[in-house]
């Protein structure tokens, strides 16, 4: 059974940086479409970034140029480097994946990520 465990969330001030991590277990090969989505209080879920099995990436316009998604297959880990954080980035962040090699459709493929963890909270204060 696949398990995803996020970590790295914290409270930071505007302009700060955080690095979220996601540990993947239960899969012998982590080179699948994976990504991050977030949910702010009272709002719907929003795809943040995805990475395909070939390491190609796609980002939401709201985070492009500030966030970087990456993976370390040897460590079965997914990361999200978040820089220049803004109060509107405040949300619960979830790591997610599906069983496909490629994230067809770019950032919109986040809706196909059917396996996710419990999330990690990011709070950005002004």
């Amino acid at each position: 059974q696949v398990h995803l465990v996020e970590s790295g969330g914290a409270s930071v001030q505007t302009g700060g940086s955080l690095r979220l991590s996601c540990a993947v277990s239960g899969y012998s090969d982590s080179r699948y479409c994976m990504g991050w989505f977030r949910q702010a209080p009272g709002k719907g879920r929003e795809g943040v970034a995805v990475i395909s099995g070939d390491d190609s990436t796609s980002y939401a316009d709201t985070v492009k140029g500030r966030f970087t998604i990456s993976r370390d297959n040897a460590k079965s880990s997914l990361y999200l480097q978040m820089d220049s954080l803004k109060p509107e980035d405040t949300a619960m962040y979830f790591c997610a994946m599906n069983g496909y090699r490629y994230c067809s459709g770019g950032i919109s493929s986040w809706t196909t990520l059917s396996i996710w963890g419990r999330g990690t909270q990011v709070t950005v204060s002004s």
Side-chain angles (χ1 to χ4, degrees):
Q1 188 173 2
V2 178
H3 283 100
L4 305 176
V5 179
E6 302 92 339
S7 62
S11 295
V12 297
Q13 292 188 328
T14 298
S17 297
L18 282 175
R19 188 192 195 207
L20 305 185
S21 298
C22 173
V24 183
S25 61
Y27 253 101
S28 60
D29 182 355
S30 61
R31 300 187 189 199
Y32 290 98
C33 174
M34 299 189 68
W36 295 89
F37 67 89
R38 64 188 181 185
Q39 186 165 22
K43 295 187 177 181
R45 293 173 181 168
E46 176 190 19
V48 174
V50 295
I51 183 168
S52 280
D54 62 357
D55 289 341
S56 59
T57 59
S58 185
Y59 298 90
D61 288 342
T62 52
V63 306
K64 200 171 294 182
R66 300 188 296 121
F67 290 11
T68 303
I69 188 172
S70 63
R71 72 202 309 161
D72 185 332
N73 293 318
K75 295 182 179 180
S76 295
S77 294
L78 182 73
Y79 306 101
L80 185 68
Q81 177 66 39
M82 305 187 296
D83 299 317
S84 302
L85 283 162
K86 304 175 181 180
E88 50 264 44
D89 295 318
T90 294
M92 184 72 79
Y93 284 73
F94 298 86
C95 164
M97 67 179 294
N98 61 28
Y100 301 104
R101 185 69 68 184
Y102 297 104
C103 302
S104 300
I107 186 61
S108 63
S109 63
W110 78 269
T111 58
T112 70
L113 304 180
S114 57
I115 304 169
W116 61 82
R118 294 189 174 186
T120 186
Q121 178 67 39
V122 172
T123 302
V124 185
S125 58
S126 57

